[in-house]
């Protein structure tokens, strides 16, 4: 059976064979303290690729040791990290998926004794420092170098993590960013770091490498989000992967919209730009993804925990079969390791 899920889509020069994305999902506790995996991930991602997923976004990977969000997180701050991504890429490519990796600096949410943010919001937090302009330059360079390593590993692109309250969210958010220099204040100033990183990465990796942006709907006004989305499009971002930002709770989906406010914001951003836009959050069953695609509300649908519960989710969705349904029980995030669904994989 053919349906909207099974339509290919062009992302930059790459053809993604269908509309389902595996969004970044950290495999907690599956790595060491130096950014190396301790368990081979190629099988984990390869299974989701074999299960038909069109685009795989490999989990949040640190661009620098001091930007890690967890001490078992994968890294791409050293050339020695490249082989682990080569293995993942090879496996996913063999199964016909396009595969990119998410790059992150956690900012004030990083682990360690000293962390960096746009500005210091809580003066009692002695760990947190305002990023100097030199530090900002270093962070930009780290994003570029990590992107080049991703390219060397054979990946089709990268996703820059601009959501979930991590460093780039901390710059775009008016609530956190209180700087008085060219990286703070006006909307353009708050967006500057993200924009400069994207431009620097594009200059380094070339035109055909996918750059996705995990877009955090994070400021009090939808107007700012719409403006930012258009700026990202102009800059040559290839996908907007819309998710949670610092101020996301203030967004209310209209009565009757059958999904979350986060999913709703994906549909809002979709109307603003002509590049592929993906939505996420709580899409558990194929009928839900079909609804969003058939009503032209978004271009692609990211299925996170659903793909942990059922690696064959996409093929089953395409074939009209029922899937293992994610029950949002949360242990995949908080108790186990993010790679398995405890309900279906004891
Ligand atoms: C175990 C786990 C790990 C996650 N890791 C990441 C991550 O590395 N980067 C990211 O942007 N989001 C991460 N997320 C958020 C997911 O990408 C996704 O947005 C979220 O799970 C909502 O989608 P879902 O309802 O389909 O699961 C994670 C979520 C879970 C449950």
């Amino acid at each position: 059976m053919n349906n909207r899920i099974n339509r290919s889509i062009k992302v930059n020069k790459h053809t993604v064979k269908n509309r389902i994305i595996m969004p970044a999902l950290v495999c907690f506790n599956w790595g060491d303290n130096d950014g190396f995996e301790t368990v081979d991930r190629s099988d984990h991602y390869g299974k989701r690729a074999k299960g038909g997923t069109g685009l795989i976004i490999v989990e949040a990977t640190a661009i620098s040791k001091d930007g890690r969000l967890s001490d078992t997180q994968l890294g791409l701050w050293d050339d020695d990290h490249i082989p682990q991504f080569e293995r993942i890429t090879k496996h996913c490519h063999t199964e016909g998926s396009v595969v990119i990796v998410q790059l992150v600096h956690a900012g004030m949410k990083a682990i360690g004794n000293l962390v960096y943010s746009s500005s210091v919001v809580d003066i009692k937090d002695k760990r947190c420092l305002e990023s100097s302009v030199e530090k900002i330059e270093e962070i930009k360079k780290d994003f570029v170098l990590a992107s080049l390593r991703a390219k060397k590993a054979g990946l089709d692109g990268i996703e820059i993590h601009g959501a979930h309250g991590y460093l780039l969210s901390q710059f775009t958010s008016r609530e956190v960013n209180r700087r008085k220099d060219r990286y703070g204040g006006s909307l353009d100033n708050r967006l500057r770091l993200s924009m400069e990183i994207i431009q620097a990465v594009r200059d380094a990796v070339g035109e055909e490498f996918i750059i996705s942006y995990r877009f955090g709907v994070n400021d009090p006004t939808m107007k700012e989000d719409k403006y930012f989305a258009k700026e990202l499009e102009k800059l040559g971002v290839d996908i907007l992967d819309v998710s949670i930002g610092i101020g996301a709770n203030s967004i209310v989906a209209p009565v009757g919209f059958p999904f979350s406010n986060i999913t709703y914001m994906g549909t809002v951003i979709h109307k603003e730009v002509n590049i592929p836009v993906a939505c996420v959050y709580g899409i558990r069953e194929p009928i839900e993804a079909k609804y969003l695609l058939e009503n032209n509300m978004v271009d692609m649908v990211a299925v996170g925990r659903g793909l942990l519960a059922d690696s064959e989710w996409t093929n089953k969705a395409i074939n009209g079969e029922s899937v293992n349904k994610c029950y949002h029980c949360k242990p995949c995030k908080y108790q186990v390791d993010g790679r398995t669904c405890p309900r279906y994989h004891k």
Side-chain angles (χ1 to χ4, degrees):
M1 190 204 292
N2 208 343
N3 62 39
R4 275 281 178 120
I5 291 176
N6 201 22
R7 280 203 190 163
S8 66
I9 181 167
K10 248 320 208 229
V11 177
N12 191 321
K13 298 283 187 302
H14 303 258
T15 301
V16 177
K17 65 185 174 186
N18 59 52
R19 304 303 177 104
I20 302 301
I21 297 180
M22 177 182 188
L25 295 154
V26 172
C27 300
F28 293 105
N29 304 322
W30 228 14
D32 68 13
N33 194 26
D34 291 308
F36 292 99
E37 61 183 9
T38 49
V39 183
D40 180 71
R41 278 165 172 72
S42 61
D43 180 58
H44 170 68
Y45 288 107
K47 269 194 189 128
R48 272 82 199 167
K50 187 161 186 276
T53 312
L55 174 64
I56 302 233
I57 305 179
V58 176
E59 68 204 81
T61 294
I63 56 155
S64 60
K65 198 160 185 180
D66 71 357
R68 291 179 302 164
L69 57 93
S70 117
D71 59 3
T72 59
Q73 196 185 355
L74 284 189
L76 252 178
W77 66 80
D78 192 292
D79 286 354
D80 288 346
H81 292 133
I82 294 173
Q84 59 199 5
F85 290 95
E86 274 172 347
R87 288 193 288 277
I88 295 170
T89 307
K90 207 169 150 199
H91 207 139
C92 293
H93 279 169
T94 305
E95 302 295 350
S97 302
V98 171
V99 55
I100 68 179
V101 61
Q102 184 182 68
L103 299 179
V104 67
H105 188 297
M108 71 167 88
K109 288 178 146 188
I111 52 166
N113 296 330
L114 275 188
V115 296
Y116 297 88
S117 184
S118 52
S119 47
V120 179
V121 177
D122 178 2
I123 48 167
K124 282 186 250 136
D125 183 359
K126 298 290 176 221
R127 271 189 347 126
C128 186
L129 300 178
E130 176 167 317
S131 301
S132 63
V133 171
E134 291 73 34
K135 185 70 191 171
I136 287 176
E137 288 306 315
E138 184 187 309
I139 290 167
K140 279 197 257 175
K141 200 168 150 206
D142 288 338
F143 267 103
V144 169
L145 292 174
S147 304
L148 286 170
R149 291 188 190 102
K151 194 172 178 188
K152 233 179 186 171
L155 286 147
D156 300 301
I158 52 124
E159 174 167 277
I160 293 173
H161 203 332
H164 301 176
Y166 296 125
L167 183 76
L168 298 182
S169 259
Q170 293 161 25
F171 271 81
T172 53
S173 166
R174 201 186 298 160
E175 280 177 46
V176 179
N177 186 342
R178 297 170 189 183
R179 298 175 73 98
K180 300 270 182 279
D181 65 359
R182 58 199 290 271
Y183 291 99
S186 70
L187 178 57
D188 282 326
N189 281 357
R190 284 182 278 120
L191 304 184
R192 190 179 305 283
L193 179 57
S194 294
M195 304 290 277
E196 287 183 352
I197 288 170
I198 293 161
Q199 188 62 63
V201 169
R202 177 60 80 209
D203 291 345
V205 296
E207 290 304 316
E208 298 191 3
F209 200 61
I210 295 171
I211 300 181
S212 168
Y213 192 81
R214 193 135 223 214
F215 187 102
V217 285
N218 61 351
D219 255 306
T221 66
M222 252 185 223
K223 207 170 143 201
E224 288 192 340
D225 285 341
K226 290 179 183 176
Y227 173 81
F228 189 21
K230 289 193 179 106
E231 290 300 296
L232 291 171
E233 178 181 29
K234 275 191 232 158
L235 198 59
V237 165
D238 300 302
I239 310 180
L240 294 179
D241 177 12
V242 180
S243 187
I244 301 173
I246 290 169
N249 288 342
S250 61
I251 292 162
V252 181
V255 178
F257 182 78
F259 306 100
S260 74
N261 57 345
I262 305 304
T263 313
Y264 171 64
M265 280 309 291
T267 70
V268 169
I269 299 298
H270 175 248
K271 291 193 190 128
E272 299 299 315
V273 293
N274 295 308
I275 49 175
V277 173
C279 68
V280 76
Y281 211 88
I283 313 301
R284 302 192 284 183
E285 296 200 67
I287 195 171
E288 296 167 331
K290 276 171 79 175
Y291 177 90
L292 288 156
L293 294 166
E294 277 166 14
N295 289 295
N296 197 25
M297 295 167 117
V298 283
D299 303 293
M300 303 182 86
V301 176
V303 177
R305 288 164 292 176
L307 270 163
L308 295 181
D310 197 335
S311 61
E312 288 285 328
W313 199 99
T314 308
N315 279 341
K316 287 182 179 174
I318 289 168
N319 295 325
E321 295 165 25
S322 58
V323 297
N324 293 345
K325 188 168 159 183
C326 164
Y327 282 86
H328 292 179
C329 56
K330 290 211 172 113
C332 61
K333 187 156 192 180
Y334 300 109
Q335 285 169 22
V336 193
D337 52 23
R339 70 183 189 275
T340 46
C341 166
R343 193 176 184 109
Y344 295 108
H345 310 286
K346 299 278 183 220

